[in-house]
């Protein structure tokens, strides 16, 4: 055994303790010396030719963070981004759908020509392929528009200003100001938002940000929110204003999501994650000319294709499973119907129904398949179906007993309920524990149930339905 | 161990010394001293708020907190909880 | 190996030695946030990059490779930080890599428009390692702001190569590559400026260093470690404790630190 290291260590420890206790300013002195030297060198090598006032970005900052215009501009920008996404995605979505569903016809013929058994065709084409086709045609266009727009705002330097504007709310909720940034990332994909929580250094505030990220609707949930908004809110307005109305109702969903985020954050920092806010520093970098080419590459490859790839990977097996539960019957009734009628009393209590709850459960792998599963269940066709128009969808829903409260609660449940499988896995990875994904699952589901229950009861009592 | 930050009480006085969060927008100040200790003090120093450095209040967020300062060329937003530990001397126009 | 050290410094350090370099020359890329660090990283590596995590940390670890004059390089993009002193995970990862990861060169990318703040990090990096190249990025913005930087003088003051760049337009990258190449070949030698602290600190550093050498040998920068100890750096204290544990349990220590 060699004891020298231990001895030396003890000596060092004593030295350090003696010196530091006698002179607590050692640390200060080190930092200060380095900065002073840096200052001196900089003074020696930098000449300020003419103090050219590049103060246009200060003026921009004044407007973007002002008491009066700060928040309205944020909301308008958010609204515009969604409006562009909704409007822009419409047409390519239709084209993609018609191409992909056209291929489905050919696949069917191919299976027939092979004399393949009916269940195989059902499982692979009606289950797997259809879900895939739906996910791709519904998700790809909005993501291909949303992510570049988002990256553009990031590149311009606007996002730190958002965090700056909102920090006080998060501070009051016992959370970190950078949570606003991770939330904006969540609009694209909650799993991505949760990974982004790494920018928050304090473990407590990082956990809060992770747990509540799901209250920001991701791209997988936007199509659902948009479709229902169009049906129940958009139809309130003349047809060429309907997309504006739908955007407005989506924006109000987001505001509710932010409100719930703040409330739950506050609740967490008062209960499970007690503590004082850690110090917060946020740099507001100068505005920079965005690099459009790089934005497109980065957002399309790093974000769009990445998220789509993952969605496809979960959607395919999920489609197969859904087809199975809808087609395997016990007695005369499919498993899906059994489960739905079991869940129906709970669903009714929340202003929803058993099929809706079942769709959310089966949609655990990916949020974007919730609506297709629901449509499939209602139509009892045994396979997911693309309805050719929103009117047809509206009629289908109304025939199944939907009112505007069902629509509202469906959107709220979608906004607040448990995260998708990928997101839960990401939480597990990022927190390195099973406890936090499980906890997130519970608390989000509890919020969704509570909110929809209250709305259902109130509207019933007030006789609004 | 020094997670708890002790603060020395400070009364703003005539020598034009104020706490950083009270430095008006557009005004420059020279850092006099930091009132806290431990980790939080260290964070401020690390940002460049060492004695004698110049700071300028740039922007106040819509809800009044945080406030962004120009510290050594970067604009950095800090919460009042931090900046009330920094004593600065207001620099009058003309001086720099 | 049977080492179950959970404490940050050493486990990080240990796994850092297992970094798969495939005989490539390892370069670290450090810098303040918003200085164009990832732009430079992209300019150097193109699509030859992949991201993962730092061992045991939820801090993103981006690595990329590039070739210059037949020589292969592995560049590690460190988290963007203002300083290497405070106790954030990002800063810990960055400085542990520079100190223990043994990169052949550390590039510090700086924002020419606020050199003073950025030189703070440069000086800190130069305390850890001699093999530093400074990139003066965003030269175009500095010009627009009416700033003129005497590159030669800065180079003399720092004692390391200083390369002006505009990473967005890939300007200055060629010179940077040439400098990297020459430095790994030994054609360029550095003579980095070392900051002197006050008498009290310096004498304490000397005393601690004397003991540290007995524990660590000469692989590590004992002056820097001593400074961190004076500074009350908990993570470093833990790393040193770990090293002692390993050294006093026979055999293993030598293997790990040779």
């Amino acid at each position: 055994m060699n004891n020298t290291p231990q001895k030396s260590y003890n000596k060092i420890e004593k030295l350090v303790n003696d010196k530091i206790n006698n002179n607590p300013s050692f640390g200060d002195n080190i930092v200060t010396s380095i900065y002073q030297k840096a200052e001196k060198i900089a003074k020696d090598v930098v000449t300020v030719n003419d103090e050219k006032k590049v103060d246009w970005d200060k003026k921009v900052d004044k407007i973007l963070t002002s008491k009066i215009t700060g928040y309205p501009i944020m909301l308008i920008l958010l609204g515009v981004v969604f409006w562009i996404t909704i409007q822009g995605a419409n047409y390519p979505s239709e084209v993609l759908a018609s191409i992909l569903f056209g291929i489905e016809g050919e696949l069917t013929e191919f299976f027939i020509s092979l004399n393949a058994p009916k269940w195989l065709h059902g499982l692979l084409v009606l289950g797997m392929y259809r879900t895939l086709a739906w996910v791709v045609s519904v998700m790809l266009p909005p993501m291909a528009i949303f992510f570049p727009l988002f990256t553009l705002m990031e590149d311009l330097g606007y996002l730190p200003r958002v965090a700056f504007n909102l920090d006080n709310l998060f501070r009051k909720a016992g959370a970190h100001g950078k949570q606003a940034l991770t939330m904006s990332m969540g609009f694209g994909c909650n799993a991505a938002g949760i990974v982004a929580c790494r920018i928050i250094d304090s473990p407590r505030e990082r956990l809060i940000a992770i747990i509540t990220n799901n209250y920001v609707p991701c791209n997988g949930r936007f199509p659902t929110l948009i479709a229902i908004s169009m049906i129940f809110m958009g139809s309130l307005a003349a047809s060429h204003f309907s997309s504006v109305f739908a955007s407005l109702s989506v924006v109000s969903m987001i505001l509710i999501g932010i409100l719930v985020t703040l409330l739950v954050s506050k609740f967490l920092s008062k209960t499970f994650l007690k503590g004082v806010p850690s110090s917060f520093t946020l740099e507001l970098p100068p505005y920079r000319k965005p690099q459009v080419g790089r934005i497109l590459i980065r957002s399309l490859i790093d974000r769009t294709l990445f998220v789509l790839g993952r969605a496809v990977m979960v959607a395919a097996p999920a489609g197969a499973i859904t087809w199975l539960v809808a087609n395997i019957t016990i007695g005369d009734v499919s498993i899906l119907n059994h489960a739905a009628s079991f869940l129906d009393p709970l669903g009714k209590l929340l202003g929803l129904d058993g099929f809706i709850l079942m769709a959310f459960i089966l949609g655990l792998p990916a949020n974007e398949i919730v609506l297709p599963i629901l449509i499939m269940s209602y139509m009892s066709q045994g396979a997911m179906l693309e309805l050719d128009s929103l009117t047809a969808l509206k009629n289908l829903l109304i025939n199944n007993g939907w009112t505007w409260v069902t629509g509202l609660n469906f959107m709220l449940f979608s906004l607040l309920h448990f995260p998708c499988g990928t997101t839960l896995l990401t939480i597990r990875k990022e927190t390195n524990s099973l406890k936090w994904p499980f906890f997130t699952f519970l608390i989000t589901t509890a919020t969704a149930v509570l909110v929809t229950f209250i709305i259902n009861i109130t509207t019933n009592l007030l006789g609004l339905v | 161990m020094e997670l708890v930050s002790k603060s020395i009480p400070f009364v703003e006085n005539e020598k034009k010394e104020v706490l950083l969060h009270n430095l008006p927008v557009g005004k420059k100040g020279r850092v006099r001293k930091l009132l806290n200790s431990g980790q939080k003090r260290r964070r401020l120093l690390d940002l460049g708020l060492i004695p004698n450095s110049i700071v300028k209040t740039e922007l106040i967020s819509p809800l009044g907190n945080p406030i962004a300062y120009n510290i050594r060329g970067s604009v950095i937003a800090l919460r009042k909880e931090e900046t009330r530990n920094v004593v600065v001397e207001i620099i009058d126009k003309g001086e720099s | 190996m049977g080492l179950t050290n959970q404490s940050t410094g050493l486990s990080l350090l240990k796994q850092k030695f297992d970094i798969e370099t495939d005989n490539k020359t390892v370069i670290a890329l450090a810098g303040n946030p918003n200085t164009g660090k990832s732009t430079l990283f992209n300019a150097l590596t193109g699509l030859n990059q992949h991201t993962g995590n730092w061992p045991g940390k939820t801090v993103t670890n981006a690595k990329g490779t590039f070739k210059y004059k037949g020589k292969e390089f592995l560049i590690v993009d460190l988290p963007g930080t203002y300083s290497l002193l405070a106790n954030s995970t990002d800063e810990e990862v960055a400085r542990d890599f520079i100190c223990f990861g043994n990169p052949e060169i550390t590039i510090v990318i700086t924002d020419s428009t606020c050199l003073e703040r950025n030189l703070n990090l440069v000086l800190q990096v130069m305390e850890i390692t001699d093999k530093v190249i400074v990139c003066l990025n965003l030269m175009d913005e500095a010009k627009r702001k009416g700033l003129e930087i005497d590159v030669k003088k800065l180079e003399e003051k720092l004692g390391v190569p200083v390369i002006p760049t505009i990473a967005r337009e890939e300007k200055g990258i060629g010179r940077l590559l040439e400098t990297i190449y020459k430095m790994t070949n030994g054609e360029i030698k550095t003579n980095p400026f070392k900051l002197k602290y006050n008498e009290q600190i310096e004498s304490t550093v000397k005393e601690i260093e004397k003991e540290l050498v007995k524990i660590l040998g000469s692989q590590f920068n004992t002056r820097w470690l001593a400074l961190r100890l004076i500074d009350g750096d908990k993570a470093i204290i833990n790393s040193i404790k770990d090293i002692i544990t390993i050294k006093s349990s026979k055999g293993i220590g030598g293997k790990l630190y040779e």
Side-chain angles (χ1 to χ4, degrees), chain B residues 20 31 34 44-45 47-51 53 55 71-72 78 86:
Chain B
L20 183 53
V31 176
L34 303 184
L44 292 173
L45 289 170
L47 282 175
L49 287 171
I50 61 168
S53 46
V55 282
I71 307 170
R72 293 175 187 268
L78 296 169
V86 184

Side-chain angles (χ1 to χ4, degrees), chain B residues 38-79:
Chain B
Q39 281 274 341
K40 298 222 163 189
R41 176 191 185 88
R42 195 45 193 272
R43 268 203 119 96
L44 292 173
L45 289 170
D46 268 327
L47 282 175
L49 287 171
I50 61 168
N52 282 325
S53 46
I54 310 283
V55 282
K56 184 180 168 203
T57 307
E58 292 280 357
L59 289 168
I60 299 185
S61 66
L63 299 173
N65 191 8
I67 299 172
Y69 301 93
N70 190 322
I71 307 170
R72 293 175 187 268
S74 298
V75 180
I76 294 172
L78 296 169
R79 287 176 176 173

Side-chain angles (χ1 to χ4, degrees), chain A residues 160-181:
Chain A
R161 273 76 186 174
V162 172
F164 180 62
N165 284 347
L166 293 174
D167 177 62
N168 205 29
L169 300 173
F170 288 98
R171 185 185 62 84
K172 283 183 180 153
H176 201 283
K178 284 185 185 163
Q179 191 170 330
L181 299 181

Side-chain angles (χ1 to χ4, degrees), chain A residues 29 47 49 198 283 289, chain C residues 53 60 82 146 148 168 198:
Chain A
N29 212 311
T47 353
N49 273 340
R198 293 171 171 198
E283 185 176 350
K289 200 173 70 197
Chain C
N53 279 348
T60 310
Y82 291 122
E148 210 176 281
R168 275 168 183 248
N198 69 27

Side-chain angles (χ1 to χ4, degrees), chain C residues 27-198:
Chain C
I27 297 173
L29 178 60
N32 285 22
N34 301 309
T35 48
K37 203 158 64 67
S38 37
T39 314
L40 180 69
F41 183 71
N42 288 333
L44 286 173
T45 61
L47 291 172
N48 298 317
Q49 41 176 282
H50 83 221
T51 51
N53 279 348
W54 288 94
K57 306 262 159 141
T58 43
V59 174
T60 310
N61 171 0
K63 285 184 216 152
T65 55
F66 64 92
K67 238 179 166 168
Y68 184 73
K69 292 195 173 166
K71 197 162 184 165
E72 286 193 278
F73 296 91
L74 174 77
I75 182 161
V76 180
D77 188 15
L78 301 175
T81 58
Y82 291 122
S83 143
L84 297 174
L85 299 176
N87 296 313
S88 85
T89 326
D90 278 358
E91 293 183 9
E92 214 175 289
V93 162
R95 62 129 200 244
D96 278 6
F97 187 77
I98 299 172
C99 181
F100 303 117
N102 235 350
E104 286 212 27
I105 292 174
T106 302
I107 301 173
V108 189
I109 179 164
T110 62
D111 176 349
S112 317
T113 64
C114 53
L115 202 55
E116 184 187 319
R117 164 172 297 283
N118 285 257
L119 282 178
N120 180 53
L121 182 73
V122 173
L123 291 175
Q124 290 186 28
V125 172
M126 285 181 6
E127 273 193 324
I128 310 178
T129 170
D130 289 351
K131 292 166 283 183
V132 176
I133 297 176
V134 173
C135 253
L136 277 183
N137 197 31
L138 302 167
M139 282 302 272
D140 47 342
E141 273 184 45
K143 204 171 199 175
R144 227 175 299 134
K145 285 194 176 172
L147 300 174
E148 210 176 281
I149 298 169
D150 189 337
V151 180
K152 261 245 126 46
K153 203 165 171 189
L154 182 59
E155 213 160 41
E156 276 162 25
K157 295 224 170 241
L158 295 175
V160 300
V162 176
I163 320 279
T165 55
I166 307 171
R168 275 168 183 248
E169 297 166 18
E170 310 217 343
K171 280 188 185 150
I173 305 293
R175 235 185 102 191
L176 175 64
L177 285 169
E178 190 61 28
T179 311
I180 294 173
Y181 182 78
K182 283 191 174 156
M183 210 152 142
T184 52
N185 272 3
E187 283 177 61
I188 296 179
K189 290 259 187 311
T190 59
N191 179 25
F193 165 81
K194 297 281 174 194
L195 193 65
K196 284 267 173 292
Y197 298 94
N198 69 27

Side-chain angles (χ1 to χ4, degrees), chain A residues 1 8-9 11 20 23 26-27 29 34 37 44-47 49 198 201 283 288-289 291 294, chain C residues 34 53 58 60 82 88 120 141 146 148 150 153 157 168 198 200 211 230-231 237 241 244 248:
Chain A
M1 277 291 228
S8 296
Y9 178 78
K11 241 187 206 167
I20 290 186
N23 200 338
F26 268 8
N29 212 311
I34 300 174
K37 186 71 200 177
D44 282 348
V45 301
V46 182
T47 353
N49 273 340
R198 293 171 171 198
D201 214 54
E283 185 176 350
R288 299 217 160 110
K289 200 173 70 197
Q291 301 164 281
R294 212 156 262 161
Chain C
N34 301 309
N53 279 348
T58 43
T60 310
Y82 291 122
S88 85
N120 180 53
E141 273 184 45
E148 210 176 281
D150 189 337
K153 203 165 171 189
K157 295 224 170 241
R168 275 168 183 248
N198 69 27
Q200 256 184 318
E211 299 301 325
I230 292 180
D231 204 8
I237 294 175
K241 273 188 192 159
I244 293 168
S248 39

Side-chain angles (χ1 to χ4, degrees), chain A residues 55-306:
Chain A
D55 59 354
W56 64 268
D57 55 346
K58 275 183 193 159
K59 281 181 190 147
V60 173
D61 261 341
K62 282 253 150 64
I63 298 167
L64 291 182
T65 62
S66 116
K67 239 177 212 166
I68 303 157
T69 46
Y71 292 127
I73 289 176
M74 268 168 53
L75 281 178
I76 290 168
L77 272 175
L78 193 69
V80 168
V81 166
F82 289 126
W83 184 78
I84 295 175
T85 308
I86 292 169
Q87 277 295 65
N90 251 337
Y91 179 68
S93 268
E94 265 170 44
V95 173
L96 268 176
S98 72
I99 293 172
L100 291 173
F101 285 102
I103 295 175
E104 187 200 301
E106 280 169 33
L107 280 175
T108 302
E109 272 171 37
F110 176 69
F111 271 79
I112 292 171
S113 74
L114 282 183
N115 260 331
K118 224 179 154 193
W119 63 266
L120 190 66
H121 170 251
L123 189 68
L124 292 182
V125 177
L126 302 180
M128 243 179 196
Y129 181 82
R130 254 188 201 181
T131 318
L132 268 183
W134 170 282
V135 167
V136 171
S137 59
V138 169
M139 266 184 90
L140 181 59
M143 279 201 311
I145 298 170
F146 178 83
F147 276 129
L149 286 176
F150 182 81
T151 317
L152 178 73
M153 300 231 273
E154 206 178 10
D155 224 49
L156 278 169
Y158 181 60
L159 292 187
R161 273 76 186 174
V162 172
F164 180 62
N165 284 347
L166 293 174
D167 177 62
N168 205 29
L169 300 173
F170 288 98
R171 185 185 62 84
K172 283 183 180 153
H176 201 283
K178 284 185 185 163
Q179 191 170 330
L181 299 181
T182 64
M183 284 165 70
S184 359
M185 195 65 190
F187 283 127
C189 167
N190 292 123
I194 280 156
V195 175
C197 291
R198 293 171 171 198
I199 57 171
I200 299 172
D201 214 54
S202 131
R204 188 188 74 89
E205 284 139 56
R206 194 169 146 244
L207 265 177
I208 292 180
I210 288 177
I211 293 165
T212 55
N213 191 273
N214 194 55
Y215 294 131
V216 172
C218 65
N219 250 300
R221 285 180 280 167
F222 273 128
T224 308
L225 292 179
I226 291 165
I228 304 298
S229 292
M230 294 281 261
I231 290 174
F232 288 94
M233 314 293 153
S235 60
L236 294 174
S239 65
H240 49 280
F241 283 123
S242 62
S243 64
V244 174
F245 249 73
S247 311
L248 279 180
S249 105
V250 174
V251 169
S252 36
M253 275 298 138
I254 289 160
L255 290 181
I256 295 173
I258 294 173
L259 183 71
V260 173
T261 302
L262 289 169
L263 290 175
V264 173
S265 299
K266 174 104 192 166
F267 168 73
L268 288 174
S269 65
K270 288 270 174 235
T271 53
F272 297 95
L273 293 165
K274 258 188 214 147
V276 282
S278 67
S279 41
F280 163 82
T281 51
L282 173 80
E283 185 176 350
L284 304 178
Y287 295 102
R288 299 217 160 110
K289 200 173 70 197
Q291 301 164 281
V292 177
R294 212 156 262 161
I295 287 180
L296 282 175
I297 293 173
R298 233 166 60 207
S299 56
L300 289 181
I301 294 178
D302 291 1
R303 290 180 176 155
T304 311
L305 289 185
F306 176 71

